Every structure is written in structure tokens, then in C-alpha cells.
Amino acid sequence: MGKKYKNPPVVETLCEFNFIPNQPWDLTIPGLIYEKLKDEFPDRKQQIGIDVEFKATEKGLEHIVEPALPRVQFYNKDKTALIQVAPDLLAVNQLKPYPTWNKFKPMIMEGFRVYKEIVNPKGFRRVGLRYINIIEFEKTDIEIKDYFQYYPFIPGNMSQLHGPFLTRVEFPYEEGNENLILTLSSFTPKKPDIISILLDIDYAMVVPEYISFEQISEWLDKAHERVENAFESSITNKAREIFKEVKL
Amino acid sequence: MIQLSKFSSSDLMMIPPGVSVTFENVIYPIPGTSDNEENSVYRSRSNMIDYIENIYIFKNSKEIKMFLISNYDLIQILLDAQKHIYKVFGQVPIYLELYHDPEEEWDELFILIKTQYSPEEAVNLENQLFEEWFASILDKVSGRLNFTEEPL
């Protein structure tokens, strides 16, 4: 069991399922899924999305913006969680406040159960469990390594003072059938004079059909444990002080 | 050590002005494309804001991004605006600038349409754009978004 925090930095957790279809996508599917989920997720929305096409013309390269493939979102009453459905995609998102794994996992399982029952896909193409953390510092500069164990290494003969950054590492698991992507980067803050840092941890099964539908519950627990380990390994005790660890 | 910068993290991935854009050097994540689907509500908003910066030239990038984070509903309007502007003015450079009045604590995002039209022609085209597009979204943007023509 992982540590608990009074002010956890997690702003969003999501479970993404990409499926191998059994049959062509039917536009009535989102409506059928909504019927099953509307008690818990009554607020139906079409996500703002865009597709971009580049086209060579006499004037040069022009880009054409078109509406994206249909993606429907079902929000719960207080807008803290949603289920997204698009062709061969199901995503279950939990926004702030994160209610603990014991409550988030059943929501994922219920979304998956409904999708599987209605769409009857062939198998998983990819499954990912992702935790997005934003850590805000009301300071004009910070020493990253005071708060993170994972950070960009700046060679000694270069300026140690730097601006925006992005570090991303993929760690293979299960002989490359799964991976964990750890991303640490600066992030546009909501207000001035704040440094925002994003820690995005994404554990995924990346080889199609490496796990079956029957194994999903067990897989989710494993993924959650690995994400949690990656989080705890990436931060320092000074960061834990900000998050205010709750001693159990 | 990291320090506050006038640039934002996405600037690291921006295509510099004057660089020829081909599929190969678009390293910037484009939201909504099939190979790069962003399912996070939080990060897709951020990506959309970054994408807007490919369409408009941001005069005060960090301030504009912070404003759009708090006024996310303007994103779709800004995406739609491009086609209306091009239809009326042709393919002209379009800028975004955030005007801030500290006394009134008031922020308004301006679309600056840079053209070489005479003042008279420019006013006529501004009126046309207002009638064909802006009038229909006026109630939605409620004093947060405006546009004006400026000489190039």
C-alpha cells in the first residue's frame, strides 16, 4: 500500500483502452453506452477536437483544420470524472480530487464491462494507466533536485540556471510487452510568478493482446503498483513535505 | 536549477519562424491525430493551446497561455476564427495579444489581423468580418475576445 498525502499533486488519473475491433465502428455505439452509464455519468458532451491536414498549394504549405473523429464524453454530476468513447477507444478519467485506487478501479472496471458488452471487441491493442501530477511552487526559481530524484542532468561546464525543460524516459517491463513512460517537464502555470512542474507517469501494455480481457483486473493492480513506485522513486522528502504525508 | 522564464515549455518544441514545415520536422504534438491521441483532459487542453500557437503569432505567449487555461472555451472559437478571417482578409498574418488593465483587473484577448489594405478598405473588411462571424459569437465571448485590423 502506497503513501497517503493530504495535498496530493495528482490532477488527473486515467485508464486508456485501445481495442482491436471485431467489426466496423457503428455510430450508434456511444448512445448505447450512454444508456448504460447515464445514471452515474449523465452529462453528455462532444469533445472539442481537431484533425489537421497539410496541403501543398501555390501559396505554400497550408493546413486545414477539420473536426476530429467523433469522441463522446460522459461526465458525472460534479464533473470530477468522465468516460470517453471514440472508435475502438475507451478512456476512464478521474479529475481532482482523486478518491483512492479502491474507488477509481471499480469505475474503470464498470466502464470496461459496459464497453465490452456493447461493442464486443476482439482484444486489447493497448491498455494504459496514467497519473498526471502538477507540482506548483510559488517561487521564481527552484532547485529541481531538491524535490525530484528524476531530473535533467546538466553538465557541470554549462549554466546550471535553465528555463523550460522536458525529460521523458521509457522503461521496458515484461520483456518489452509493457512499458512505463516517465515524463518530467515544466508546464504553463495558471498564474504568474509560479513554477509549475508536470510529472506524468504512464504504465501501458503495448503489445496487442499481450493480456486477455479476463486478466484486466489483475493487470490494473500491477500497473497501479508500478505507477505508485515510480512516483515515490521520483520525488524527495522535501516534495513529500509539500504534499503533507499522512502517517497511517 | 530551474528559473521562471518568459517562454513556456511548449516553446521547446516549437518550429522556429522561417523553417520549412514538412511532416518530418513537425515534432510538435498535434491534438486529435490518430497516432498521437491525447485522452487526458488536462493535457489535451494544454496541447490545444500549444496548437493555437501554430496558427496565431503570440505577442505575449506566457500571458496568453495562462489566460486560455482559464478561458478554455475560447479555444474552439480561435480555431474557427482562422477560416473566417482568411475568407474575408485573405491569408494574412494573425497575431494574438492579451491586453491587461491592472486597475480594472480586466483582461481581453485581441486578434490582430495584419494587412496592407488602405484604412478605408480595412474598415469595410472589419465590418464584414463582424457581420459574418463575430456578431454570432459576441454573447459567448462576453468581453474576453475581440479583433482588430492593423497595418502590416
Side-chain angles (χ1 to χ4, degrees):
Chain A
M1 177 137 169
K3 291 181 166 40
K4 286 200 180 299
Y5 297 102
K6 193 177 169 197
N7 301 319
V10 60
V11 292
E12 183 176 5
T13 54
L14 60 153
C15 186
E16 304 163 282
F17 297 95
N18 295 91
F19 295 96
I20 300 168
N22 248 337
Q23 55 204 357
W25 185 254
D26 183 332
L27 290 174
T28 62
I29 287 171
L32 296 171
I33 293 176
Y34 177 69
E35 280 303 311
K36 299 268 184 186
L37 295 171
K38 67 182 179 189
D39 289 344
E40 286 294 315
F41 297 90
D43 189 3
R44 184 175 166 157
K45 284 184 181 172
Q46 190 87 26
Q47 193 204 21
I48 298 169
I50 51 169
D51 269 343
V52 183
E53 188 186 330
F54 288 89
K55 191 179 171 188
T57 68
E58 287 176 359
K59 293 175 191 166
L61 199 68
E62 287 182 12
H63 67 266
I64 299 161
V65 180
E66 299 283 355
L69 284 169
R71 171 182 295 222
V72 186
Q73 299 177 319
F74 312 128
Y75 279 83
N76 66 353
K77 286 182 190 112
D78 58 6
K79 305 274 195 295
T80 55
L82 65 149
I83 288 182
Q84 304 184 75
V85 177
D88 307 318
L89 170 89
L90 169 75
V92 181
N93 302 54
Q94 174 68 52
L95 307 174
K96 278 181 99 170
Y98 178 63
T100 77
W101 178 241
N102 290 339
K103 288 185 182 159
F104 182 45
K105 186 187 168 191
M107 193 167 90
I108 297 170
M109 292 301 291
E110 177 61 7
F112 170 67
R113 187 192 65 76
V114 170
Y115 183 98
K116 185 167 155 276
E117 182 187 310
I118 289 171
V119 185
N120 187 28
K122 181 175 177 290
F124 291 126
R125 186 162 66 85
R126 182 187 180 278
V127 188
L129 182 69
R130 190 168 163 200
Y131 279 62
I132 297 168
N133 303 277
I134 298 282
I135 302 105
E136 292 185 327
F137 301 91
E138 291 194 14
K139 294 178 176 179
T140 52
D141 55 62
I142 61 156
E143 195 73 60
I144 300 179
K145 64 183 176 192
D146 287 349
Y147 301 94
F148 299 94
Q149 308 263 25
Y150 165 72
Y151 49 86
F153 173 76
I154 312 291
N157 58 353
M158 289 185 73
S159 167
Q160 297 299 301
L161 199 61
H162 64 84
F165 69 96
L166 169 69
T167 27
R168 182 182 188 274
V169 179
E170 291 188 23
F171 302 92
Y173 281 84
E174 311 294 346
E175 297 168 336
N177 291 298
E178 299 180 357
N179 71 14
L180 184 142
I181 302 173
L182 192 58
T183 306
L184 187 78
S185 75
S186 39
F187 198 76
T188 306
K190 280 181 288 190
K191 46 188 182 175
D193 302 324
I194 280 185
I195 291 177
S196 272
I197 292 187
L198 170 114
L199 178 62
D200 187 333
I201 306 168
D202 186 5
Y203 187 87
M205 180 213 81
V206 290
V207 172
E209 297 187 279
Y210 176 64
I211 61 163
S212 64
F213 291 154
E214 290 69 36
Q215 292 169 292
I216 189 62
S217 175
E218 194 186 333
W219 185 90
L220 284 169
D221 286 329
K222 178 183 74 177
H224 176 251
E225 193 182 319
R226 288 186 173 163
V227 168
E228 206 166 57
N229 286 342
F231 175 76
E232 289 300 334
S233 304
S234 301
I235 60 169
T236 66
N237 283 336
K238 200 167 173 181
R240 289 187 185 94
E241 284 171 20
I242 299 174
F243 310 149
K244 294 192 169 50
E245 187 180 343
V246 179
K247 299 283 182 193
L248 299 170
Chain B
M1 175 180 278
I2 178 178
Q3 68 167 180
L4 270 178
S5 163
K6 61 181 177 175
F7 302 109
S8 63
S9 56
S10 60
D11 293 325
L12 296 169
M13 292 174 276
M14 284 291 294
I15 300 153
V19 171
S20 155
V21 179
T22 65
F23 283 110
E24 283 72 29
N25 64 18
V26 177
I27 54 172
Y28 174 99
I30 295 170
T33 52
S34 55
D35 290 340
N36 195 12
E37 253 173 322
E38 179 53 82
N39 298 315
S40 156
V41 173
Y42 208 85
R43 295 206 67 182
S44 64
R45 286 180 179 181
S46 170
N47 288 354
M48 293 287 267
I49 291 169
D50 292 342
Y51 178 70
I52 289 283
E53 203 168 7
N54 273 355
I55 298 174
Y56 296 89
I57 300 162
F58 284 16
K59 282 201 148 182
N60 38 2
S61 176
K62 196 172 173 186
E63 289 78 7
I64 290 170
K65 286 180 179 182
M66 285 192 289
F67 179 77
L68 289 175
I69 284 173
S70 311
N71 293 274
Y72 184 68
D73 57 311
L74 295 182
I75 292 284
Q76 187 62 53
I77 290 168
L78 288 169
L79 287 170
D80 290 342
Q82 185 196 29
K83 67 172 184 280
H84 294 289
I85 293 166
Y86 282 2
K87 188 180 161 209
V88 173
F89 286 92
Q91 269 205 307
V92 294
I94 37 179
Y95 288 65
L96 281 183
E97 184 168 10
L98 188 71
Y99 290 179
H100 176 63
D101 183 340
E103 286 182 7
E104 300 286 329
E105 291 192 356
W106 162 86
D107 286 322
E108 188 166 16
L109 191 61
F110 266 80
I111 300 172
L112 309 177
I113 305 162
K114 300 279 191 176
T115 78
Q116 291 178 315
Y117 292 109
S118 68
E120 204 171 83
E121 282 176 307
V123 168
N124 287 339
L125 292 173
E126 271 188 329
N127 290 339
Q128 186 186 335
L129 184 63
F130 182 88
E131 281 168 22
E132 289 184 6
W133 167 62
F134 203 74
S136 65
I137 55 143
L138 199 52
D139 58 328
K140 289 183 199 162
V141 300
S142 58
R144 296 173 296 148
L145 179 70
N146 211 331
F147 75 93
T148 187
E149 186 275 344
E150 282 187 353
L152 192 62

